[in-house]
Amino acid sequence: SFPRYLLPVAAVLANGINFLLEWVVVFGFYFVFPTAYRFNVTILALVPLSFLELMILVGVGLSTSALNVRYRDVYYIVTSVLTFGFWLSPLLYSTEMAPPTLRALLRLNPLAGVMEGARDVVMAGRWPRLENLLPAVATATVVFLIGCAVFRRQNLQLSDYV
């Protein structure tokens, strides 16, 4: 029989292909704006950063997919939270640009350290700062383990709701 946990993971990995294609576009911009990027050996740091992001996404995907089968409104809640989280993420701006009182709030985003690290690697050509990555590593581990636990607990009951 097909392992059920592979379905949410497959959805995350399918979007991972889109993620890789977007990085091709980012690297293509290097030829248009060569002074904006600093590519060197630090580019290798994108691999563990992507792995951290993958752990968070798989954890969230496992827990929300299991809950979405039972509670149909989970999709709308997750979509709203992700949209709100997008605007709180340091994707288009650095957390250093925010007022000091809001920096701690912005760093509560589990992907903030990953995004700051990717910006450091691509735009500045330097290794990600450890103080930004430690909360991301802790969050990724916790979210992944919670997602696995929720999915495992709900897995036996999913067929009753389908």
Side-chain angles (χ1 to χ4, degrees):
S1 77
F2 187 74
R4 292 181 185 160
Y5 65 86
L6 287 180
L7 290 174
V9 174
V12 170
L13 292 179
N15 283 312
I17 294 170
N18 186 29
F19 177 73
L20 291 175
L21 291 174
E22 289 169 355
W23 272 108
V24 169
V25 172
V26 168
F27 289 130
F29 273 111
Y30 173 73
F31 298 106
V32 178
F33 305 106
T35 59
Y37 299 98
R38 309 246 189 288
F39 291 132
N40 54 29
V41 73
T42 59
I43 201 81
L44 297 174
L46 290 177
V47 174
L49 289 172
S50 298
F51 183 73
L52 281 174
E53 183 178 1
L54 180 70
M55 280 182 62
I56 293 172
L57 293 175
V58 168
V60 170
L62 285 172
S63 60
T64 57
S65 66
L67 294 174
N68 189 41
V69 171
R70 181 176 282 193
Y71 309 107
R72 299 294 176 174
D73 291 337
V74 168
Y75 170 79
Y76 302 107
I77 294 169
V78 168
T79 304
S80 299
V81 168
L82 288 177
T83 302
F84 184 70
F86 172 76
W87 294 109
L88 288 180
S89 64
L91 186 62
L92 301 174
Y93 54 88
S94 171
T95 52
E96 302 303 320
M97 294 173 61
T101 55
L102 293 178
R103 286 182 193 160
L105 178 67
L106 291 174
R107 288 195 175 115
L108 288 177
N109 184 341
L111 290 173
V114 175
M115 291 179 199
E116 290 280 333
R119 180 182 295 106
D120 286 344
V121 168
V122 174
M123 303 299 282
R126 63 178 180 246
W127 293 99
R129 289 176 282 188
L130 191 59
E131 64 268 9
N132 288 347
L133 287 182
L134 288 178
V137 169
T139 303
T141 305
V142 169
V143 168
F144 182 76
L145 292 175
I146 288 173
C148 290
V150 167
F151 192 82
R152 182 176 291 140
R153 182 170 180 194
Q154 298 291 326
N155 191 20
L156 297 175
Q157 302 165 351
L158 290 179
S159 59
D160 295 339
Y161 292 97
V162 173

